[in-house]
Amino acid sequence: MRFAILAAAESWYLEDLRRAAAERHEIVRFPFTRLASTVGFSAGGAIAGGGFTGAIRPVDVDAVLVRTMPPGSLEQVVLRMDILAQWEAAKVPVLNPARALETAVDKYLTTARLAAAGLPTPRTVACQSVEDGLAAFA
């Protein structure tokens, strides 16, 4: 099998995945920061690196494994999530899917989902101004 791994180049987990795959599977590391996507150019919308060289299309891999989400602007992070959703729509298994990553990186969403599932969570207030924060604290 051929796996696209979204991971940092120097990560211990990437090396461990390569070790575990040995000669049975191919591991292709691809950094989130080099993802790009096309719409309307070809079926399946290639997901490519900088300059659209070394394109990896959904049909080129058996699965995508997401091991990191580097910092970025709101637009960069939303694009990354959209590209993962595009892979999922192409029926390529994505571990961890975009929705799971969204929950993992959004602390408020995580807290709200834990509470909705009936798990004990600390009382939480999320607001956007100092005044509202101080009022909630009081």
Side-chain angles (χ1 to χ4, degrees):
M1 295 184 74
R2 187 169 196 227
F3 295 92
I5 311 292
L6 295 166
E10 316 79 36
S11 62
W12 66 267
Y13 48 81
L14 179 61
E15 290 310 312
D16 206 36
L17 287 168
R18 285 186 171 139
R19 180 200 54 75
E23 303 202 8
R24 297 182 315 238
H25 305 288
E26 182 182 358
I27 302 294
V28 179
R29 187 191 73 83
F30 208 80
F32 255 114
T33 56
R34 294 197 46 203
L35 288 180
S37 182
T38 61
V39 174
F41 289 96
S42 64
I47 298 175
F52 292 94
T53 58
I56 299 176
R57 299 170 302 149
V59 296
D60 294 335
V61 296
D62 297 299
V64 177
L65 178 59
V66 182
R67 291 297 306 149
T68 188
M69 174 59 74
S73 69
L74 175 61
E75 290 80 7
Q76 288 171 316
V77 172
V78 168
L79 174 64
R80 294 168 189 167
M81 296 299 196
D82 290 345
I83 289 173
L84 289 175
Q86 185 181 21
W87 282 76
E88 292 173 52
K91 304 294 187 222
V92 175
V94 176
L95 312 168
N96 301 300
R99 195 70 179 144
L101 286 171
E102 179 185 3
T103 302
V105 300
D106 184 333
K107 303 306 182 246
Y108 176 77
L109 182 57
T110 300
T111 301
R113 287 192 175 168
L114 290 171
L119 296 169
T121 57
R123 292 179 6 187
T124 302
V125 174
C127 54
Q128 298 186 63
S129 71
V130 171
E131 294 81 17
D132 289 342
L134 291 172
F137 182 74

